[in-house]
Amino acid sequence: MKCKKCNSSSALIILRKKDLYCRECFLANVTHKFRSSIGKNKILGKADNVLICLSGKEGSTVLLDLINNALSLDNHKKLRITPIFLHLCENYETIKNVIEQCQKYNYDLYSPHISEYVQSKSHIPIVNSLPIVNNELIEEYNNMQNSMLPTVKDDFITNIKRTLYIRYAKLLNCKYIFTGETTTTLATKLLVNLAIGRGSQVQSDVGFLDSRDMEIKIIRPMKDISEEELKLYINSKNLKVNDKQTSKENEHTSLQTVISTFVSSLQENFPSTISTICKTADKIGLQDECDNERHNMCVICQSILKPDEKAISALDATSISKIVSLRKHTDSAIDVDMEKNVINSTIFPYIHNRLCYACSRNYAEIKQSKIPSYIIETQK
Amino acid sequence: MLLSIDEGITGYRDDSLETVKQNRDDYEMPLKILSYKDLYGWTMDEIVAQIGRKNNCTFCGVFRRQALDRGAAMLNVKCIATGHNADDIAETVLMNVLRGDIARLKRCTAITTGSEGTIPRVKPLKYTYEKEIVMYAHYKKLVYFSTECVFAPNAYRGHARALLKDMEKIRPSCIMDIIYSGETMSIKEEVSLPTQRLCIRCNFVSSQEVCKACVLLEGLNKGLPKLGIGKSSKVKKLLDEYNTRQNNLETAVKDLEDCNITDKKTSKTCKNISNGFKQKECNATNCCTNKTERNVEKNNEKLQTVLDKYSLENNSQVKLDEEDSDDSEIKHQDEDDTCSSSCGRLGVGF
C-alpha cells in the first residue's frame, strides 16, 4: 500500500481504481491542478478583484477551500487576488448553508436573489444576510420559469446565472469571475451544447476562459479536476456540502438529465470517456476570433451572431422543410427566399439579428414569451 | 449505376443482396457487387472468428470504404452517393466527440466529402430524419430490407445511438441541432490534423505511411488480428516483434530439419535392425518414429542424395548425441542409441 508519489506506506486514497496516494500527496495534487490552470494561462494580474461564484454544491465547496488555502500561504506562492464571494439565491435552504461555509473561513458573502434577472439593473446587496426580495419579482421570475420546458429552462437558467454574475462583477468592481465547474460537469455541458445547437460557442461555454463580455472574463480554474477527486477531497478535509440538492426531477425530462446519466454510465464501462470528451472540448475553437469587425451579440447569451454563411446549413434545411410542409399541394413554384423570411420569424425568431441559433430555438418554444422585455429590446 | 459491397456476413448481407438485386430489376439499373472475399481474401465472418465480437466494425468500415472506392473506379463514375440520413450524421458527430476524433469531427457534417485524387462522395439525404425515410418508403411502397447487422449490438456506435434516441424522444429537433452544431464548429488553429498522402503499398489515399486497410490485412494474415486496433504508432513496433519471433522460429526449424535429415538416415538403419525387442525400445518414442517413417516414405529420393551429401556429418552428429544422451530409457541401448537418442531428444528438445 505504497503511495505512488512519495512511497510512504500510508496510502489510503485510490484514484482511477489503481493509483494509490497518501493523503498529503493527493491534496497537493489537487491544489497543484488548481494553481497551474490559473498560472498557465497568465490571466490574472496583481491583486485583482475576483468574484467567486458559489452554489453550495461539491465543486464550489472545494473551490472555496482551495482559495482559502492559496490565500493563506505566506511565501511568494501566495495567490494574489482579492476574493469577493457571491451566491445566487434560488431557495432559502441552500443560502444558509453557503453563508455558514463562508463564515467558517471568515469570508463575507453577497447573496442576491436570482429573480433580480427580471430587472435590468440591480444594487449591491447587503453582506452575509438573506436577500430582501420583492414578491412581485419572484412571481414574475417563476412565471417565466414555468412557461418553459425543462430543457429550455435548464439552458436558460445557465444563461441567467451568467448574466447576473457579470452584472454583479461590474457592480462589485471585479474583472474576473471564478466558477467551480469540473471535468464531469463540463463533459455533460459539451454534449448538451451540441444537442441544442451551440456548437460554435463551445470554447466559451466549456473552455477555460469565457471572454464574451467586453469587460469581464469568466474563468474555470477547476476544469481539470474530476468528480472522483472532488469527493475524496471533501472526505479528506471533512467539508460540509449542501446536501439538499434541487428536488430530484424525474429522470429523462430534460436533455441535461439524459446526457448526464449517459455520461456517468458510459464512464463506468469506458473509464477514459470524460477525459476524452474534455480533450475534444479543448480542441474546438471559436470561429473567426480575430475578426476586426464588431459583430452583433446574442442578447441572451452574448455569443457572436454570424450572418448567414454561403453554404447551406441545417437551418436552411429546417426552413425549407417547414415551407414545404405548409404549402398547399397545388402550388407549383416556390419563392423560397420570401417564404423563408416569413417562416423564420416563427421557427427562428430574431435569428442572427438579436438571437443566436440555440437561443432563437428556445425563444420559439417558450409560450407567449415571458422573457423580460428589456432583454429583447436591448440594442447591442 | 448501383454498387453493392458483400462483406460476407451471413444472415445480413446475403439477404440484403437479394433486395438489391430486386432493385436492379425494378429500376433497370446496372448493378455491380464486390465482395470482401474477392478483394481481400477474408469475409467478415472469418474476421470476427479471429478478432472477436468487439472492434470488428473497424475492419468492416475500413474495408468497405476502400471497396467502394475501387468499385467506383472500376465503373468510372464521377461521384458516389450514399444513403446516410440525419440520424446517422448526428450519431457520427456524437461518436466522434466521445472518441476524441477531431479530424473526423471536422469532416463528417459536410455534404460532399473527398479530396484531390479521390472520387467525391455525397450524402443527399443528410437532412432527412430516419423516420421521414421510413414513412416515405412506406407510402411509396418501396422494397427494402430493414434488419440490422448481426454484429451491431456490440458496436460502440450503439451507445451514441441509444443516447440519440433518448434525446429525440424529449426534443425531436435535437438531431438537426446536433448537425447544425457540427457544421458551425471550428477547430483551433494550433491543433495538428493528419495530412493526406498515398499508401506505399496499395497507392490509395492514406493519412499514414501504410493505409489502415493494408495494416489490418497484414494483421489478419499474420495472425496478429489486433495489429490495426489501437494506436497506429505501435503498429511498427508490433510488426518488428513479430518478425524477430519469426526469425527465431525459422532458425529453430532449420536446426530441426538438419537433424531430421539425420533421423531419416538412422531411422532407416534402425528400422532395418530393430525387430521385436529392439523395435519396442525404438518405438518408445512413438511420435518420432511415426514421423520419421512418414518422412522416409515421402523423401526417399531426397534421402539418397542427402545420405551421400551428409555421410560424414551424420557420424559426427550421432557421436554428439551419444555423448549428450541423458535419457535413462535409452542409455543401455548402445547400438540403437544413434536412432532413439537422436529421434527422441531432438523431437523433444525443440
Side-chain angles (χ1 to χ4, degrees):
Chain A
M1 295 286 281
K2 287 209 168 177
C3 168
K4 201 172 166 194
K5 275 186 106 170
C6 64
N7 265 330
S8 72
S9 55
S10 56
L12 294 171
I13 304 208
I14 304 181
L15 279 181
R16 297 173 287 271
K17 292 179 194 166
K18 54 184 170 84
D19 295 332
L20 290 162
Y21 294 100
C22 65
R23 188 175 170 272
E24 285 73 31
C25 286
F26 168 72
L27 294 174
N29 194 13
V30 175
T31 316
H32 172 73
K33 278 189 186 174
F34 172 69
R35 297 301 300 273
S36 71
S37 66
I38 302 176
K40 203 162 51 172
N41 287 289
K42 295 185 189 136
I43 305 281
L44 297 180
K46 286 194 178 170
D48 283 322
N49 285 349
V50 177
L51 188 70
I52 319 279
C53 301
L54 304 174
S55 65
K57 292 189 203 155
E58 292 171 341
S60 35
T61 310
V62 175
L63 179 63
L64 184 58
D65 194 72
L66 283 170
I67 288 186
N68 183 51
N69 289 344
L71 288 173
S72 55
L73 295 168
D74 267 333
N75 48 20
H76 66 283
K77 288 194 178 179
K78 179 175 166 162
L79 184 63
R80 292 179 190 287
I81 59 166
T82 316
I84 300 176
F85 295 90
L86 180 84
H87 169 72
L88 281 179
C89 176
E90 287 175 90
N91 63 61
Y92 288 106
E93 299 283 336
T94 43
I95 190 174
K96 285 177 195 161
N97 285 331
V98 182
I99 294 181
E100 254 182 61
Q101 277 179 339
C102 289
Q103 292 297 352
K104 205 172 104 183
Y105 304 103
N106 274 329
Y107 289 137
D108 291 330
L109 176 73
Y110 293 98
S111 48
H113 199 271
I114 197 169
S115 61
E116 290 279 329
Y117 181 74
V118 172
Q119 290 184 316
S120 56
K121 285 198 180 143
S122 303
H123 302 286
I124 301 179
I126 305 170
V127 130
N128 284 336
S129 66
L130 302 178
I132 305 165
V133 263
N134 193 335
N135 278 331
E136 276 177 24
L137 283 182
I138 296 189
E139 208 184 303
E140 202 177 326
Y141 179 78
N142 284 337
N143 282 342
M144 183 175 73
Q145 295 293 75
N146 291 334
S147 70
M148 299 183 200
L149 292 169
T151 307
V152 176
K153 186 159 74 166
D154 269 348
D155 182 59
F156 210 75
I157 287 185
T158 315
N159 281 318
I160 289 176
K161 285 187 177 170
R162 186 181 168 277
T163 312
L164 283 179
Y165 289 155
I166 290 181
R167 188 189 290 181
Y168 283 104
K170 288 180 183 165
L171 280 175
L172 293 165
N173 216 3
C174 300
K175 273 200 282 182
Y176 300 102
I177 300 175
F178 278 8
T179 51
E181 283 128 324
T182 57
T183 57
T184 316
T185 44
L186 290 175
T188 313
K189 207 168 179 194
L190 172 65
L191 290 174
V192 170
N193 270 8
L194 280 187
I196 56 179
R198 289 191 194 279
S200 52
Q201 302 152 15
V202 165
Q203 191 185 335
S204 307
D205 274 336
V206 179
F208 177 76
L209 174 66
D210 178 351
S211 51
R212 283 177 281 195
D213 189 85
M214 292 290 125
E215 297 152 24
I216 314 282
K217 299 201 190 319
I218 302 182
I219 296 174
R220 302 181 178 99
M222 293 176 45
K223 70 183 276 286
D224 295 320
I225 302 177
S226 69
E227 198 176 333
E228 195 189 9
E229 286 168 327
L230 277 189
K231 290 199 163 86
L232 290 168
Y233 190 100
I234 289 171
N235 272 340
S236 300
K237 286 211 160 184
N238 282 324
L239 299 174
K240 198 178 156 209
V241 183
N242 174 26
D243 275 336
K244 292 188 187 140
Q245 304 282 346
T246 47
S247 59
K248 291 266 177 192
E249 294 165 359
N250 291 333
E251 289 214 4
H252 307 260
T253 50
S254 74
L255 284 186
Q256 286 82 353
T257 46
V258 168
I259 290 176
S260 176
T261 323
F262 173 76
V263 170
S264 348
S265 59
L266 202 59
Q267 175 78 2
E268 294 283 321
N269 294 326
F270 299 94
S272 59
T273 305
I274 290 184
S275 55
T276 310
I277 298 177
C278 290
K279 283 212 185 100
T280 314
D282 284 337
K283 294 182 186 167
I284 301 175
L286 292 172
Q287 274 178 331
D288 297 334
E289 268 186 79
C290 9
D291 224 64
N292 283 328
E293 282 177 47
R294 272 206 56 189
H295 289 282
N296 283 345
M297 290 198 291
C298 170
V299 295
I300 294 180
C301 64
Q302 280 195 298
S303 314
I304 293 178
L305 296 175
K306 273 226 109 174
D308 278 320
E309 313 282 308
K310 289 172 208 145
I312 191 174
S313 73
L315 205 160
D316 302 302
T318 316
S319 306
I320 291 175
S321 174
K322 183 101 182 189
I323 293 170
V324 172
S325 343
L326 291 177
R327 231 169 20 106
K328 296 214 174 67
H329 192 59
T330 49
D331 286 2
S332 46
I334 326 171
D335 184 0
V336 172
D337 283 327
M338 192 179 79
E339 296 207 37
K340 219 200 266 188
N341 289 331
V342 171
I343 291 294
N344 271 355
S345 60
T346 45
I347 38 172
F348 297 116
Y350 300 110
I351 184 89
H352 294 320
N353 189 337
R354 303 258 177 75
L355 295 177
C356 65
Y357 179 89
C359 292
S360 175
R361 271 253 191 241
N362 288 347
Y363 192 81
E365 286 193 16
I366 300 170
K367 292 177 210 159
Q368 293 168 10
S369 169
K370 298 253 169 69
I371 294 183
S373 47
Y374 77 86
I375 291 171
I376 294 299
E377 284 155 22
T378 314
Q379 294 292 325
K380 224 200 284 185
Chain B
M1 288 197 218
L2 305 175
L3 174 62
S4 193
I5 310 287
D6 175 16
E7 306 100 342
I9 302 177
T10 357
Y12 170 64
R13 190 50 81 197
D14 39 9
D15 291 341
S16 73
L17 277 179
E18 291 308 314
T19 317
V20 174
K21 285 175 189 161
Q22 175 98 30
N23 285 335
R24 171 200 58 195
D25 298 331
D26 290 342
Y27 294 111
E28 291 168 8
M29 287 191 205
L31 166 67
K32 185 165 187 63
I33 303 181
L34 290 173
S35 77
Y36 280 9
K37 191 73 189 173
D38 292 334
L39 288 171
Y40 308 112
W42 289 79
T43 62
M44 272 316 292
D45 289 336
E46 289 165 9
I47 294 175
V48 172
Q50 283 255 315
I51 189 141
R53 297 218 141 208
K54 277 183 122 178
N55 287 327
N56 40 37
C57 288
T58 308
F59 286 84
C60 192
V62 171
F63 286 164
R64 186 185 302 112
R65 181 191 41 81
Q66 217 189 65
L68 278 176
D69 280 336
R70 287 189 203 217
M74 273 188 227
L75 291 170
N76 219 352
V77 294
K78 287 245 172 74
C79 183
I80 307 174
T82 52
H84 290 101
N85 57 41
D87 295 46
D88 292 328
I89 310 265
E91 272 169 42
T92 308
V93 171
L94 286 176
M95 213 173 86
N96 285 334
V97 168
L98 291 172
R99 296 284 229 184
D101 197 333
I102 285 287
R104 285 208 174 86
L105 192 58
K106 194 176 162 192
R107 299 191 302 252
C108 64
T109 40
I111 277 195
T112 39
T113 53
S115 40
E116 285 296 312
T118 59
I119 301 178
R121 291 163 187 230
V122 67
K123 302 180 177 81
L125 298 175
K126 180 189 167 195
Y127 293 118
T128 37
Y129 279 43
E130 195 170 14
K131 288 189 162 71
E132 293 178 286
I133 290 178
V134 172
M135 294 300 278
Y136 183 94
H138 171 71
Y139 282 117
K140 283 255 185 158
K141 296 187 174 38
L142 300 178
V143 172
Y144 66 92
F145 177 79
S146 60
T147 314
E148 67 168 9
C149 172
V150 289
F151 303 122
N154 305 90
Y156 190 82
R157 184 176 275 262
H159 295 116
R161 186 170 187 78
L163 175 65
L164 193 72
K165 287 297 151 195
D166 285 337
M167 292 201 295
E168 194 187 355
K169 280 184 210 144
I170 296 177
R171 199 183 199 218
S173 67
C174 71
I175 296 180
M176 275 306 207
D177 295 336
I178 292 179
I179 299 181
Y180 185 81
S181 297
E183 287 166 341
T184 48
M185 215 186 284
S186 55
I187 313 293
K188 284 188 185 165
E189 287 164 358
E190 50 268 20
V191 175
S192 62
L193 295 170
T195 46
Q196 192 189 298
R197 45 183 141 156
L198 294 177
C199 171
I200 53 176
R201 296 211 193 166
C202 64
N203 253 346
F204 269 88
V205 237
S206 166
S207 63
Q208 314 289 326
E209 212 178 290
V210 181
C211 74
K212 193 74 162 182
C214 289
V215 168
L216 290 175
L217 212 46
E218 180 151 342
L220 284 173
N221 290 331
K222 289 202 169 151
L224 296 170
K226 297 267 179 183
L227 190 62
I229 313 286
K231 296 192 178 177
S232 14
S233 47
K234 294 205 174 159
V235 167
K236 215 165 177 244
K237 194 175 125 194
L238 284 167
L239 274 176
D240 287 339
E241 278 175 14
Y242 176 84
N243 285 334
T244 40
R245 259 191 293 146
Q246 284 298 89
N247 286 339
N248 291 339
L249 262 171
E250 276 168 18
T251 44
V253 166
K254 225 182 158 202
D255 288 340
L256 179 59
E257 277 172 359
D258 286 343
C259 299
N260 264 341
I261 290 164
T262 61
D263 280 349
K264 289 166 203 163
K265 264 192 17 198
T266 52
S267 65
K268 205 179 175 194
T269 47
C270 168
K271 276 187 78 174
N272 291 337
I273 296 171
S274 58
N275 294 310
F277 174 71
K278 296 260 157 79
Q279 181 139 34
K280 262 192 204 167
E281 307 295 332
C282 199
N283 284 333
T285 48
N286 237 342
C287 52
C288 171
T289 45
N290 286 339
K291 275 191 201 153
T292 52
E293 273 178 313
R294 269 182 276 134
N295 282 339
V296 164
E297 281 159 6
K298 285 177 195 169
N299 301 315
N300 269 325
E301 284 173 351
K302 264 195 196 172
L303 196 61
Q304 211 42 51
T305 46
V306 156
L307 275 170
D308 297 335
K309 196 175 171 195
Y310 285 99
S311 51
L312 285 170
E313 282 176 50
N314 174 38
N315 290 333
S316 58
Q317 190 74 13
V318 166
K319 276 181 194 160
L320 275 168
D321 291 335
E322 279 177 334
E323 285 162 13
D324 294 341
S325 164
D326 278 336
D327 293 336
S328 47
E329 284 177 43
I330 36 180
K331 249 184 195 161
H332 59 279
Q333 298 163 39
D334 285 328
E335 298 124 331
D336 291 338
D337 251 346
T338 56
C339 160
S340 45
S341 56
S342 51
C343 299
R345 193 164 345 100
L346 282 168
V348 169
F350 163 61

